[in-house]
């Protein structure tokens, strides 16, 4: 454990030392409390179901009590599961780039968009997804913060909790500009690339997205929608094909 003594044998329950490890540990330890709470809620649901059946003079009164208790317990279980599942990328149990890439292809593939994964310029930062289509080009990266990290903007500046987000925004913007310069130079087609950051864990504002310092951060499920929302057609089929082939040839796999 950080700060512990090398001369004192550590308690096994404190091994791991990462926030993710502790999160999973406390989640498992809290299982009995969640079950107890679920049983209480189901009991309330049972009583409510009985009351409704009596109120509306329905037959099989007990059935409605059991049915409502089951629904309440099921909803409570789903909410708890969804809360834990939402941290999977942050905990290293799932890969954010795989999730976002699958969503982008499923939503944009039939609309004439190409999605290139894991691309980089030599000696420069890489991006997880390069999207090329009728509406233009997008560079999409994936990131995840702890579940209680508030992602917000104040006076035009980006914040992750109490930390400035300028470094994150600046890095992705510079990489997007470098990609755009390379593709413009190699194809002769003037292009700009819009950077997006898919956030897999962290507290985004209502609506699931925030824009500050030239960067939009949003839930992965909203990335394709953001791309499709671009008004008008900037590129035709030939330009899309040329840009895609050039990107596949000139940009290294990260």
């Amino acid at each position: 454990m950080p700060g512990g003594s090398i001369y004192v044998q550590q308690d096994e329950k404190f091994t791991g030392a990462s926030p993710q490890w502790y999160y999973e540990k406390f989640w498992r330890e809290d299982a009995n409390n969640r079950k107890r709470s679920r049983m209480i809620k189901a009991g309330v649901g049972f009583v409510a179901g009985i009351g409704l059946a009596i109120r509306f003079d329905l037959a099989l009164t007990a059935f409605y009590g059991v049915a409502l208790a089951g629904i309440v317990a099921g909803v409570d279980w789903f909410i708890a599961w969804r809360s834990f599942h939402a941290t999977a990328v942050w905990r290293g149990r799932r890969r954010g780039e795989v999730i976002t890439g699958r969503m982008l292809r499923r939503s944009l593939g039939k609309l004439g968009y190409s999605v290139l994964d894991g691309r980089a310029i030599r000696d420069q930062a890489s991006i997880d997804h390069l999207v090329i289509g009728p509406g233009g080009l997008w560079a999409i990266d994936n990131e995840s913060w702890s579940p209680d990290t508030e992602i917000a903007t104040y006076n035009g500046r980006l914040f992750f909790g109490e930390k400035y987000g300028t470094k994150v925004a600046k890095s992705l913007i510079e990489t997007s500009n470098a990609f755009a310069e390379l593709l413009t130079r190699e194809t002769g087609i003037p292009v700009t690339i819009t950077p997006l950051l898919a956030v897999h864990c962290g507290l985004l504002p209502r609506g699931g997205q925030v824009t500050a310092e030239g960067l939009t951060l949003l839930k992965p499920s909203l990335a394709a929608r953001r791309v499709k929302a671009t008004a008008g057609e900037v590129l035709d089929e030939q330009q899309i094909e040329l840009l895609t082939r050039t990107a596949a040839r000139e940009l290294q796999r990260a």
Side-chain angles (χ1 to χ4, degrees), residues 38-200:
R38 190 168 301 132
M39 290 177 64
I40 294 173
K41 294 175 183 177
V44 174
F46 178 79
V47 173
I50 294 292
L52 288 172
I54 294 174
R55 170 67 177 79
F56 293 101
D57 196 22
L58 301 174
L60 303 175
T61 304
F63 168 78
Y64 289 99
V66 172
L68 189 54
I71 292 172
V72 170
V75 170
D76 184 72
W77 174 87
F78 177 76
I79 292 174
W81 172 84
R82 187 176 182 180
S83 174
F84 185 69
H85 185 73
T87 67
V89 173
W90 176 67
R91 291 183 289 110
R93 303 300 181 180
R94 300 186 69 189
R95 296 177 59 187
E97 64 271 22
V98 173
I99 297 171
T100 304
R102 186 182 302 119
M103 290 180 176
L104 291 172
R105 288 185 175 83
R106 185 167 56 238
S107 298
L108 302 175
K110 296 181 180 179
L111 300 178
Y113 286 84
S114 299
V115 180
L116 302 178
D117 295 327
R119 297 292 166 168
I121 300 176
R122 188 183 301 276
D123 298 328
Q124 295 194 41
S126 63
I127 58 172
D128 292 332
H129 316 285
L130 177 63
V131 178
I132 305 172
L137 287 80
W138 288 262
I140 303 175
D141 252 359
N142 295 272
E143 191 53 83
S144 189
W145 286 271
S146 61
D148 59 348
T149 299
E150 182 182 3
I151 302 168
T153 175
Y154 300 102
N155 296 324
R157 297 203 66 175
L158 181 64
F159 285 85
F160 303 125
E162 297 180 353
K163 298 180 179 179
Y164 290 116
T166 302
K167 185 177 180 180
V168 173
K170 182 179 179 182
S171 175
L172 187 50
I173 291 171
E174 289 179 348
T175 301
S176 300
N177 291 338
F179 276 43
E181 290 175 6
L182 185 150
L183 292 175
T184 298
R185 183 175 64 251
E186 295 296 327
T187 64
I189 303 173
V191 297
T192 58
I193 298 180
T194 303
L196 300 175
L197 187 59
V199 179
H200 293 265

